[in-house]
Amino acid sequence: MRIVQISPYDLSRHGGVQQHILSLATELRRRGHAVLVIGPGRDAEQGTDILPLGATRKVSVLGTSFELTLASEKELRELDARLAAFRPDVMHYHTLWVPLLPWQIFRRNSVPSVATFHDTPPPGFAGLLLRSLFKLLSRALLNRLEGAIAVSPAPMGHLRPGRSGCRPVILPPVTDLGDLLALTKSRAPLRKTVLFFGRLEPRKGIAVLIRAWDLLAMGLVPLPRGVAMPRLVI
């Protein structure tokens, strides 16, 4: 098959969605499919398999950071020509409702489309408003998609297919572990280690972890008898 994946986020910036898209593309190519990845990010690695598109502006909302993206009409016309030459069998959109690039491409293409929904609104009133908005939008989107994927039960909770829309399924995100599996394992340290692995932003919990660590380090929360203070690696 000839597959196009559309990222809503800067492909040159580290992130779970970007990692999922690139790892999925690598595995699909290994299985014999042709894959073109489209997304914002002028500093992204360019080539026959990756097409940077659109301008980005970084914003922070509800404790997380993401990019607002927009492609010019000239860029979209050039993309139309590129897609006509590539002749995709399916377009795969990731977090389709992140403004605005994925929607720009989606609305001007009639190629069979699937979408993966990665986003989980935070708790609280603002998150409740977002979830309500996503439920309304999902009813219209799922009527126009041939397939829909949620990466966990959390985003599945705000997808509403209605009577005629496609039914989403849960498929966990993928990560190419090749580089990690190639590492030589060191001897286990004498002290236990706590590893924080994620973006340094409030909703990922790094501030909560550091406050908890302070309580342990100051002895305000006792460790079990015989347990040494562990290492913290961020």
Side-chain angles (χ1 to χ4, degrees):
M1 293 182 68
R2 306 182 68 78
I3 302 165
V4 175
Q5 291 197 88
I6 298 94
S7 170
Y9 304 126
D10 189 335
L11 291 169
S12 63
R13 181 172 70 86
H14 291 293
V17 175
Q18 296 95 313
Q19 181 66 54
H20 168 82
I21 291 170
L22 297 175
S23 294
L24 180 59
T26 297
E27 178 61 20
L28 288 170
R29 292 183 189 118
R30 190 187 68 80
R31 298 188 182 197
H33 302 286
V35 183
L36 174 65
V37 177
I38 299 172
R42 294 303 180 189
D43 296 329
E45 180 182 349
Q46 300 187 34
T48 57
D49 298 330
I50 296 181
L51 177 63
L53 182 74
T56 65
R57 178 183 293 274
K58 189 173 181 180
V59 297
S60 296
V61 179
L62 301 177
T64 191
S65 298
F66 63 95
E67 297 87 16
L68 294 176
T69 60
L70 183 68
S72 68
E73 186 60 32
K74 178 176 181 293
E75 288 177 307
L76 291 171
R77 288 196 301 269
E78 292 173 349
L79 175 63
D80 291 340
R82 178 73 180 269
L83 293 178
F86 186 74
R87 295 179 290 107
D89 297 300
V90 64
M91 305 282 282
H92 186 171
Y93 298 87
H94 293 265
T95 314
L96 179 55
W97 41 44
V98 169
L100 191 62
L101 179 63
W103 179 251
Q104 286 182 290
I105 299 172
F106 179 69
R107 64 186 293 270
R108 62 194 293 138
N109 272 282
S110 58
V111 178
S113 300
V114 299
T116 295
F117 297 91
H118 299 260
D119 40 2
T120 303
F125 181 70
L128 176 63
L129 291 179
L130 269 182
R131 284 189 291 275
S132 300
L133 175 62
F134 287 166
K135 289 175 183 178
L136 291 174
L137 291 175
S138 69
R139 188 177 294 272
L141 287 176
L142 294 174
N143 280 327
R144 296 184 56 185
L145 294 170
E146 277 67 45
I149 298 165
V151 297
S152 73
M156 179 69 92
H158 51 255
L159 298 178
R160 295 290 184 270
R163 291 184 178 181
S164 58
C166 67
R167 298 286 166 177
V169 298
I170 295 178
L171 290 176
V174 301
T175 300
D176 183 0
L177 298 178
D179 292 341
L180 297 175
L181 294 175
L183 295 174
T184 301
K185 292 183 179 180
S186 60
R187 180 177 298 179
L190 296 178
R191 288 191 298 160
K192 298 293 185 181
T193 300
V194 174
L195 172 66
F196 177 89
F197 186 73
R199 290 206 306 275
L200 300 181
E201 58 180 47
R203 72 185 299 232
K204 300 298 183 180
I206 183 62
V208 176
L209 174 59
I210 291 175
R211 287 198 298 271
W213 212 260
D214 280 343
L215 295 175
L216 289 172
M218 292 185 294
L220 299 177
V221 174
L223 289 162
R225 184 185 300 273
V227 175
M229 184 70 183
R231 286 193 315 154
L232 173 60
V233 177
I234 298 175

